[in-house]
Amino acid sequence: VTTTKSTVKVAAPIALTTVKDSLSYALGVDIASSLKQGGFDLNTAALTEALTKHLADQPILIDADKTSSIIANAVIEMRAKPGRDFLTENKKKATVKETPEGLQYEVLVEGEGAYPMASDEVVVHYKGSLIDGQQFDSSYDRNEPLTLNLDRVIEGWKLGIPLMRIGSKYKFYVPYNLAYGERATGSIPAFSTLVFEVELLGVKKSSEI
């Protein structure tokens, strides 16, 4: 029985013998560093082909005017994924309910008072944190309840607080699109899903304000 050995060609290492060589390699490193820092999950073969063909003015598979939207959508998906994954697991808990808009909540204490309306002013105690448990705000720490108009708060609170009776304490899990969206706010990063414990202490009707 005879066997034949297959030969595998190994690409020779690139020699940086000219300024052009060094510049090309340095630009490659710079592009790769930026992509790694961005956290993208990439198909390097597709990336290499796009670079090669576009630099050579050869036809490419995606119109150049569509690349920005593809990249922007990928960034949104990547930044929003941790919060989305958290909410997917969280709603499996028997105690967690979800509104049609995607706000999740738990009833910690059910009060017996009146419900507020979206146009009312309310008095609340609250604690806010990121999904990793890092607290970013707390009226409890300041020992000072917050009085606010429900038409001037994030969408998650506009949806959630009217579900509560006076005396209730709820825990809200607010997806980024019902919180501060795609912008960073103080110590809250962009695309953050937020967790709030909210205690409804009082309601002042809009007619009384």
Side-chain angles (χ1 to χ4, degrees):
V1 178
T2 59
T3 59
T4 58
K5 293 183 178 180
S6 60
T7 58
V8 178
K9 292 184 178 180
V10 178
I14 294 175
L16 306 180
T17 57
T18 67
V19 172
K20 178 181 178 180
D21 296 338
S22 297
L23 173 61
S24 301
Y25 202 88
L27 287 170
V29 171
D30 189 59
I31 292 170
S33 297
S34 296
L35 293 173
K36 287 178 68 175
Q37 186 175 12
F40 294 106
D41 181 18
L42 298 173
N43 179 335
T44 55
L47 174 66
T48 301
E49 179 175 319
L51 283 169
T52 302
K53 288 191 172 181
H54 198 46
L55 287 171
D57 292 324
Q58 295 177 358
I60 54 178
L61 300 178
I62 298 173
D63 292 338
D65 60 355
K66 295 181 179 178
T67 57
S68 294
S69 62
I70 292 173
I71 294 169
N73 289 337
V75 169
I76 291 173
E77 173 62 25
M78 180 177 63
R79 298 288 297 277
K81 188 176 186 301
R84 187 179 296 115
D85 291 346
F86 171 85
L87 292 171
T88 297
E89 290 300 313
N90 192 60
K91 70 179 180 180
K92 294 177 182 178
K93 298 176 183 177
T95 54
V96 172
K97 301 177 182 179
E98 186 174 54
T99 70
E101 298 84 359
L103 173 70
Q104 296 179 6
Y105 64 97
E106 284 183 277
V107 179
L108 305 180
V109 177
E110 188 64 272
E112 298 181 352
Y115 289 103
M117 297 178 62
S119 57
D120 289 341
E121 188 174 81
V122 297
V123 182
V124 299
H125 255 318
Y126 71 96
K127 178 176 71 173
S129 60
L130 305 178
I131 58 175
D132 63 3
Q134 179 182 341
Q135 181 178 298
F136 57 80
D137 196 10
S138 172
S139 65
Y140 293 104
D141 290 351
R142 295 189 294 273
N143 196 28
E144 183 179 353
L146 178 68
T147 300
L148 51 86
N149 293 315
L150 282 180
D151 59 356
R152 298 180 183 176
V153 296
I154 61 173
E155 286 298 315
W157 280 34
K158 288 180 182 178
L159 295 168
I161 291 180
L163 300 174
M164 307 172 69
R165 293 177 179 270
I166 295 174
S168 295
K169 185 174 184 179
Y170 279 28
K171 194 169 188 177
F172 294 114
Y173 305 91
V174 186
Y176 82 91
N177 58 300
L178 299 179
Y180 295 102
E182 300 176 11
R183 71 182 190 276
T185 302
S187 59
I188 302 173
F191 298 95
S192 288
T193 291
L194 305 179
V195 180
F196 289 98
E197 290 185 15
V198 180
E199 186 178 359
L200 182 58
L201 304 176
V203 176
K204 189 174 184 179
K205 294 296 179 181
S206 58
S207 60
E208 302 171 351
I209 299 174

